[in-house]
Amino acid sequence: MRIVFFDIESTNLQANFGSVLCLGWKVYGQKAVHVPSVKDHNGVCECCSRINDVANDKSLLQEMVKALSDADVWVTWYGSRFDVPFINSRLAFHKLPPLPYTPHIDLWRTARNHYKLHSNRLASVQAFLELPDEKTPLTGPDWMGARTGNQKGLKYVVKHCKQDVLVLEQAYERMLPLIKSHPSRRLADGRPNTCPRCGHDILHRKGTYVTATRRYQRWQCQGCGGFMKDSKPTDIDHTMTL
């Protein structure tokens, strides 16, 4: 299963007033973090040393589509509310096809539904879980410099984006047992009797899961710690139900 973590940085929070500055993405299990930017695609002016046409993100978007189309699963933070709609809006602006439908894990939703913190921002969760890497602050001058074509400002934004992707992957590993809608690695890898979240092959029986009419064997993965239940009930109760 090819799991891709990604994050974008833009010149504005609304796609009709802004454009994409860079995209950070990483394949789970690989070391490389890729962060292509408008500088890579548009170049730099020889006269003023500023980035050419910062608002033109068309070729950058085309590279994004290729990177994200190869994924079996996307993992983002608030990506279902920002990153994916923003990218699709910019693709529509350039008269390009939208992103393909891909199973999408938005860890912001997982944190909101399963944690009780003062904030569901990635920085707050990173501090709470004491993850190895930390998010870098994105100051106004750096962001304003990047959106106006300043190379130093964009360099910092690219670094910030790369750090976000690294923290995102670490958050995913810690929050994995809570992701109920995770696409089945068991099916993707063709390995029965393994954890559908992480693919670990050691599962211990942990009681039963009982509904109004069925009882299921419950299991706990010894890899990620997540719980799951059998798809078929252990018995069938034919008595009257509520």
Side-chain angles (χ1 to χ4, degrees):
M1 180 177 285
R2 185 179 176 89
I3 302 173
V4 173
F5 304 88
F6 75 91
D7 177 60
I8 68 169
E9 301 297 338
S10 61
T11 60
N12 195 286
L13 295 179
Q14 307 303 327
N16 53 335
F17 292 103
S19 57
V20 179
L21 285 169
C22 64
L23 164 74
W25 63 278
K26 180 183 187 299
V27 178
Y28 188 49
Q30 297 183 9
K31 292 184 178 181
V33 180
H34 310 272
V35 195
S37 70
V38 288
K39 178 184 176 181
D40 302 320
H41 286 265
N42 300 343
V44 176
C45 176
E46 295 181 357
C47 299
C48 64
S49 297
R50 302 186 79 81
I51 299 161
N52 290 321
D53 200 1
V54 176
N56 182 8
D57 55 2
K58 184 175 181 178
S59 60
L60 176 59
L61 286 164
Q62 290 172 319
E63 183 177 351
M64 285 185 197
V65 171
K66 186 178 185 305
L68 299 181
S69 295
D70 291 339
D72 297 313
V73 182
W74 295 335
V75 180
T76 66
W77 198 278
Y78 205 67
S80 61
R81 302 288 295 274
F82 177 71
D83 300 69
V84 173
F86 196 100
I87 293 172
N88 277 328
S89 298
R90 296 302 300 168
L91 288 169
F93 174 77
H94 291 294
K95 299 179 176 59
L96 296 171
L99 289 170
Y101 174 75
T102 303
H104 182 183
I105 299 170
D106 188 338
L107 291 179
W108 170 79
R109 294 184 181 275
T110 305
R112 183 189 65 175
N113 293 336
H114 296 283
Y115 291 155
K116 185 61 177 175
L117 307 179
H118 78 286
S119 169
N120 292 320
R121 288 179 172 273
L122 180 56
S124 300
V125 174
Q126 178 273 320
F128 175 70
L129 297 178
E130 298 181 339
L131 301 178
D133 283 298
E134 295 184 10
K135 279 176 58 65
T136 56
L138 184 56
T139 66
D142 289 319
W143 180 72
M144 288 294 292
R147 66 179 295 200
T148 55
N150 179 272
Q151 290 193 64
K152 182 179 179 181
L154 181 63
K155 183 178 180 180
Y156 185 84
V157 169
V158 166
K159 179 182 178 182
H160 171 82
C161 187
K162 179 179 179 180
Q163 199 67 12
D164 276 0
V165 174
L166 290 172
V167 175
L168 180 64
E169 182 180 36
Q170 293 163 10
Y172 167 81
E173 292 179 333
R174 287 289 300 276
M175 299 171 70
L176 186 58
L178 300 174
I179 304 174
K180 292 185 177 180
S181 60
H182 199 295
S184 176
R185 297 197 64 154
R186 178 187 297 175
L187 291 175
D189 300 338
R191 299 176 61 211
N193 303 320
T194 58
C195 175
R197 292 185 182 90
C198 71
H200 201 276
D201 59 359
I202 300 180
L203 308 175
H204 288 180
R205 295 176 185 268
K206 288 289 182 177
T208 57
Y209 181 89
V210 182
T211 69
T213 58
R214 299 288 188 273
R215 182 171 61 198
Y216 302 84
Q217 177 62 55
R218 185 169 59 195
W219 302 83
Q220 185 179 28
C221 173
Q222 300 305 293
C224 67
F227 286 89
M228 67 220 74
K229 64 180 179 65
D230 284 343
S231 58
K232 296 182 179 180
T234 56
D235 61 3
I236 300 177
D237 184 359
H238 295 284
T239 60
M240 184 181 295
T241 61
L242 296 174

